[in-house]
Amino acid sequence: MDITVAVDAMGGDHGTHVTVPAALRFLRDNPDVNIVLVGLEDAIAAELKAHHAVTHPRLRIHAATEVVTMDESPQSAMKNKKDSSMRVAINLVKSGEANACVSAGNTGALMATARFVLKTIPGIDRPAIAKLMPTMKGQTAMLDLGANVDSTPLQLTQFAIMGSAMFAALKHVNAPTVGLLNIGSEDIKGNEAVKEAAEMIRKTRLNFHGNVEGNDIYRGTVDVVACDGFTGNVALKVSEGLVKMIATFLKEEFNRNWFTKFVALLAMPLLKRFKSRLDPDRFNGASFLGLRGIVVKSHGGANKNAFYWALAQAVEEARSGMIQRITEQVEQELLHLNAVVESTVN
Amino acid sequence: MDITVAVDAMGGDHGTHVTVPAALRFLRDNPDVNIVLVGLEDAIAAELKAHHAVTHPRLRIHAATEVVTMDESPQSAMKNKKDSSMRVAINLVKSGEANACVSAGNTGALMATARFVLKTIPGIDRPAIAKLMPTMKGQTAMLDLGANVDSTPLQLTQFAIMGSAMFAALKHVNAPTVGLLNIGSEDIKGNEAVKEAAEMIRKTRLNFHGNVEGNDIYRGTVDVVACDGFTGNVALKVSEGLVKMIATFLKEEFNRNWFTKFVALLAMPLLKRFKSRLDPDRFNGASFLGLRGIVVKSHGGANKNAFYWALAQAVEEARSGMIQRITEQVEQELLHLNAVVESTVN
C-alpha cells in the first residue's frame, strides 16, 4: 500500500533546512511513500533547489501561508493561524489526502490543532503522547509523556488500552504486557489515582502485569508503561539529560591525553555501535494517540537524521492500521468495563 | 569534633555481612569517628571475628534482640518490634549517644520509626527523602524521592527550604539556587499544586530559579530540585535503570570479539575513571530531612563499598550542623511567609 505523509515543512527550530532534506532522503529509501511538503512555497522551493531536487508525483508542495512559531500559545495558533503549515498538514489527514502527518512544531499548538481538526476517538477524553523507548529487551511503549498534567484513573486506563493497541499493531504482538508506573510494586503503594487505575485496568481484558517502577522501563519488564503526563514527561526528560551527561563524561575520559585518544580511535567502531543502540535520533518520533488520524511529533531541535526517523514512525503507524486497532480496542474495552461495573452494581 | 554513628547492623539484604566490614573500613579511614553496631550480639560478634576484629572504645556493640524484615509493614515494625536494631539505632540518636544513624533496612519502617522516635522539626508536616545527585557541573540535592505520594504546595515549599539548607550546610554555599521540577519552564505549565508552589516559593527568601525540567537535573541547572515524592521516586529509579542499561550495552560492545576485548583492556583505566563519576555506590546514602536528628538510608541491596558511602554521608551531615541549619531556616522562612501572606491579606 502506498502511504502519503503530509510534512509540516516549516515546523521546528530549523524549518525547511531540516524537513526538506530529510523528506528527500526518506523518499529515496522508501519507493512506496509519497510526501506532501506543506508550508511557504518560496522557502520550500528554495530548499529543494539547494538540494538540486524538483517536485514530482511522489513529492508535492502544498502551499500554506502562515507559520506557527515555537513559543506561540495554542490559543493564538488556533485562532489566528488558520492557514498555518501545521494546520494545513493536519487538514490533509482529515480529508484523507494524507495517511499521516509529521511536525516538529510547537507541541501545545500541534496537540490543540490536531484535537480540533481530527477529533478524538469515541471514548477517549484526552489524547496522550506515546513513544517507543529502547530497553534491555527491545522496546517499550510509554504514555502519556506530557499531553496531560493530571490524569484520572479512567484516563490512565485509556492510556493503558491505547498503548496496548499501539504496541500490538506496531510490534505484531497479540497481548502486550501492560504496567502501571508507580513507586512500588505492591498494590498498596502510590497515590489514589494510581491505586484506582490499577483496579480499573485489572477489570479490562488487557494483559495487565500490575505496578511497575521507574527502573522497570529500561529493564523492559513490560511492553507498555502507562503513567500520567507529568511523571512521564519528567521520566523522558530525565533520561535525555542523563544520556547527555554520560556521553559527555565518556567523551571527556577518551579525550584526557594522547593515550586515551589513541584508545578512542581503536574503540571508534564499537563506540559507534554502542551509540546507535541509544541514539536519541532513532527514537525521535512521538505519537499523539487518541485522535482519528496519525500525528507524529518530532523534537523541535531535531536534525535531518532525527526527522527522518519521525517520518519512518508515521509511515509504520499508517501501514500497521494502528488507528483502527486503537479505535476498536478502546470501544471493546470500555464496553466491557461498563458491563463489569454494571454487573457489580446490580 | 568526634562523631558517633549508630549503625543498624541487621538492615539490608545482606545484614552484618555488609554493615560490619563497611564499618571496619570506615573506622580505619576516619580516626575521629566512633561506630556503634546495633543488632543481634552473636551475629555481629561472629562477623567481627570473621574479619579478625574486636570491639574497642571506637567500635562498640549495642544489643538489640529483634530485626525488621525487608517486607514488613511499617505498622507491624512499629508495634511488634520495639527492640529492633533499626529502632534502637534511632533511639541512640534521640538520646544523644549517637550523632547520626544509618540503616539499609525497610524504607517505610525506617521512616515511620524515625518520625515516631525523633519527631519532625517545628513547621514541617512530613519529612522528605533527599539525595545528592551527580551532575555535569557537580552535585544537585533532590527531594522528595518517595516519602510522600502526594504533596501540597506548602509541602513542596518546605522541601525547597529544607533542600536549600541541606545544600548550604553540606556544600558551604551561601544561597543555593532552587528549582521546582515541572514539565516546562514557563509559569503557566504544570499541575495546580506545582503552580501554587511556585508562587509560594517566590515569596520566600530562597534563591528561587523558577521551574526546571527533567533534563535540568543532570545538567546541573540548579543546586536544589524540589518535587513531589511520586515524581522524584520515578526520576531516581528511571535513572538507575538507564545507567544499568547503558553499562550493559557498553559491556556487550566491548565483549563482542577478540579485538574489542583487546581495546577494552587498553581502555580499562579510563573506563574505571568514567565509572567512578557515575558510580551508584558513591551516591548511595539518602537523607531523611525534616526530622530532629540525622537518619541516612542506604540502598537495601548495598554492597560494602556502597554502605561505606552511606556512613560517609551521615558523618558529613553531622559535621556540617545540617539539622540546626534546616531547623533555623524552616522557622525563619515560614515566619517570613506568614508575614508576607498576612500583609497581603490586610
Side-chain angles (χ1 to χ4, degrees):
Chain A
M1 183 179 88
D2 265 30
I3 301 288
T4 300
V5 181
V7 173
D8 167 10
M10 315 310 294
D13 300 343
H14 314 294
T16 52
H17 301 315
V18 157
T19 56
V20 172
L24 290 172
R25 209 187 99 208
F26 195 80
L27 282 179
R28 271 198 301 277
D29 294 351
N30 297 276
D32 49 358
V33 169
N34 309 311
I35 287 185
V36 185
L37 297 167
V38 183
L40 306 179
E41 272 190 285
D42 291 352
I44 297 172
E47 190 65 28
L48 284 174
K49 203 175 163 195
H51 293 275
H52 312 290
V54 289
T55 56
H56 52 79
R58 287 180 49 224
L59 176 65
R60 295 190 301 113
I61 298 178
H62 191 112
T65 57
E66 292 169 318
V67 177
V68 174
T69 58
M70 291 306 271
D71 53 359
E72 197 160 351
S73 80
Q75 293 73 21
S76 153
M78 296 273 293
K79 209 174 142 186
N80 307 323
K81 303 247 173 107
K82 293 191 180 158
D83 198 41
S84 72
S85 56
M86 181 186 275
R87 179 130 173 198
V88 174
I90 298 171
N91 286 342
L92 293 179
V93 176
K94 170 81 179 170
S95 68
E97 287 168 78
N99 304 93
C101 78
V102 178
S103 173
N106 177 332
T107 310
L110 185 65
M111 179 58 93
T113 308
R115 260 184 91 173
F116 179 77
V117 173
L118 296 174
K119 311 293 182 224
T120 54
I121 282 170
I124 292 299
D125 297 344
R126 306 218 24 168
I129 300 176
K131 213 167 165 168
L132 290 171
M133 318 274 284
T135 74
M136 304 254 265
K137 292 189 190 156
Q139 293 186 353
T140 290
M142 186 165 164
L143 71 168
D144 174 31
L145 298 176
N148 306 279
V149 289
D150 284 308
S151 301
T152 63
L154 179 60
Q155 282 165 346
L156 287 167
T157 305
Q158 291 170 354
F159 299 164
I161 298 168
M162 293 197 293
S164 174
M166 178 200 193
F167 196 89
L170 293 179
K171 297 287 162 190
H172 313 289
V173 170
N174 221 333
T177 52
V178 176
L180 183 64
L181 192 59
N182 202 335
I183 61 171
S185 51
E186 308 86 2
D187 285 349
I188 54 151
K189 288 282 176 100
N191 55 35
E192 286 312 310
V194 172
K195 280 191 228 173
E196 278 181 47
E199 272 183 54
M200 203 178 280
I201 299 172
R202 223 176 284 285
K203 286 179 190 140
T204 67
R205 288 158 307 179
L206 296 180
N207 189 358
F208 186 45
H209 170 277
N211 290 331
V212 294
E213 298 186 69
N215 47 348
D216 286 306
I217 299 170
Y218 293 107
R219 196 186 278 161
T221 307
V222 288
D223 297 324
V224 179
V225 173
C227 60
D228 71 277
F230 193 95
T231 313
N233 186 275
V234 168
L236 184 71
K237 287 187 179 156
V238 161
S239 302
E240 285 175 9
L242 184 51
V243 166
K244 214 171 268 179
M245 182 175 88
I246 290 175
T248 305
F249 285 0
L250 202 55
K251 234 176 259 170
E252 281 173 5
E253 293 307 332
F254 273 114
N255 271 321
R256 197 172 277 272
N257 56 46
W258 69 265
F259 179 72
T260 58
K261 282 181 192 167
F262 166 69
V263 176
L265 270 180
L266 295 178
M268 198 67 83
L270 82 89
L271 289 176
K272 265 198 179 156
R273 271 197 307 269
F274 165 68
K275 205 192 139 201
S276 74
R277 294 174 73 173
L278 288 169
D279 195 2
D281 288 357
R282 175 66 193 77
F283 295 93
N284 174 37
S287 314
F288 288 3
L289 297 193
L291 298 165
R292 301 179 191 218
I294 294 168
V295 179
V296 169
K297 165 77 174 80
S298 156
H299 205 290
N303 58 26
K304 295 169 213 174
N305 188 43
F307 197 80
Y308 178 98
W309 285 108
L311 293 171
Q313 178 67 25
V315 169
E316 228 180 301
E317 290 180 9
R319 280 235 170 81
S320 71
M322 186 186 84
I323 299 286
Q324 202 189 334
R325 178 127 196 181
I326 294 178
T327 310
E328 287 169 7
Q329 202 157 347
V330 165
E331 191 192 345
Q332 288 164 10
E333 289 305 331
L334 292 183
L335 278 176
H336 174 77
L337 211 55
N338 281 336
V340 170
V341 172
E342 274 180 23
S343 75
T344 322
V345 172
N346 296 332
Chain B
M1 182 179 88
D2 266 29
I3 301 289
T4 300
V5 181
V7 172
D8 167 9
M10 315 310 294
D13 300 341
H14 313 294
T16 52
H17 301 315
V18 156
T19 57
V20 172
L24 290 172
R25 207 186 100 208
F26 195 79
L27 282 177
R28 273 200 300 278
D29 294 350
N30 298 275
D32 49 357
V33 169
N34 310 310
I35 286 184
V36 185
L37 296 167
V38 183
L40 306 180
E41 272 190 287
D42 291 353
I44 297 173
E47 189 66 28
L48 283 175
K49 204 176 162 194
H51 293 275
H52 311 290
V54 289
T55 57
H56 52 78
R58 286 181 48 226
L59 176 65
R60 294 191 301 113
I61 298 178
H62 191 112
T65 58
E66 293 169 317
V67 177
V68 174
T69 58
M70 292 305 272
D71 53 359
E72 198 161 350
S73 80
Q75 292 74 21
S76 153
M78 296 273 292
K79 210 174 142 188
N80 307 322
K81 304 251 174 103
K82 292 191 178 154
D83 199 40
S84 73
S85 57
M86 181 186 275
R87 177 126 172 203
V88 174
I90 297 172
N91 285 342
L92 293 178
V93 176
K94 170 81 179 172
S95 69
E97 288 168 77
N99 305 93
C101 78
V102 178
S103 174
N106 177 329
T107 310
L110 185 66
M111 178 57 93
T113 308
R115 261 185 91 172
F116 179 77
V117 173
L118 296 174
K119 312 293 180 222
T120 54
I121 284 169
I124 292 298
D125 297 343
R126 306 221 21 170
I129 300 176
K131 211 166 167 171
L132 290 172
M133 318 274 285
T135 74
M136 304 256 266
K137 291 188 189 158
Q139 293 184 353
T140 290
M142 186 163 164
L143 73 168
D144 174 31
L145 297 176
N148 306 279
V149 289
D150 283 309
S151 301
T152 63
L154 179 60
Q155 282 165 345
L156 286 167
T157 305
Q158 291 169 357
F159 299 163
I161 298 167
M162 294 197 293
S164 174
M166 177 198 194
F167 196 90
L170 294 179
K171 298 286 162 188
H172 313 289
V173 169
N174 222 333
T177 52
V178 177
L180 183 65
L181 191 59
N182 202 334
I183 62 170
S185 52
E186 309 86 3
D187 285 349
I188 53 151
K189 288 281 176 103
N191 55 34
E192 285 312 312
V194 171
K195 280 191 225 172
E196 277 182 48
E199 271 183 54
M200 203 179 279
I201 299 172
R202 223 176 283 285
K203 286 178 188 141
T204 67
R205 289 158 306 180
L206 296 179
N207 188 358
F208 186 46
H209 171 277
N211 291 331
V212 293
E213 297 185 69
N215 48 347
D216 286 306
I217 299 170
Y218 293 106
R219 195 186 277 161
T221 305
V222 288
D223 297 324
V224 180
V225 172
C227 60
D228 71 276
F230 193 95
T231 312
N233 185 275
V234 168
L236 184 71
K237 286 186 178 156
V238 161
S239 302
E240 286 175 10
L242 184 52
V243 165
K244 213 170 270 177
M245 182 176 87
I246 290 176
T248 304
F249 284 0
L250 203 54
K251 233 176 262 169
E252 282 173 4
E253 292 307 331
F254 273 114
N255 271 321
R256 197 172 276 272
N257 54 46
W258 69 265
F259 179 71
T260 58
K261 281 181 192 166
F262 166 70
V263 176
L265 270 179
L266 295 177
M268 198 67 83
L270 82 89
L271 289 176
K272 266 198 179 158
R273 271 197 307 269
F274 165 69
K275 203 192 140 200
S276 74
R277 294 174 74 175
L278 287 170
D279 196 2
D281 288 357
R282 174 69 193 75
F283 296 93
N284 173 36
S287 315
F288 288 3
L289 298 192
L291 298 166
R292 301 179 192 217
I294 294 167
V295 179
V296 170
K297 166 75 174 78
S298 157
H299 206 289
N303 59 26
K304 296 169 211 175
N305 188 42
F307 197 80
Y308 178 99
W309 285 109
L311 293 171
Q313 178 67 24
V315 168
E316 228 182 301
E317 291 181 10
R319 279 235 171 80
S320 71
M322 187 187 82
I323 299 286
Q324 202 188 335
R325 177 125 194 184
I326 294 178
T327 309
E328 287 169 8
Q329 202 159 344
V330 166
E331 190 191 347
Q332 287 164 13
E333 289 304 331
L334 292 184
L335 277 176
H336 174 77
L337 210 55
N338 281 336
V340 171
V341 172
E342 274 180 24
S343 75
T344 322
V345 173
N346 296 329

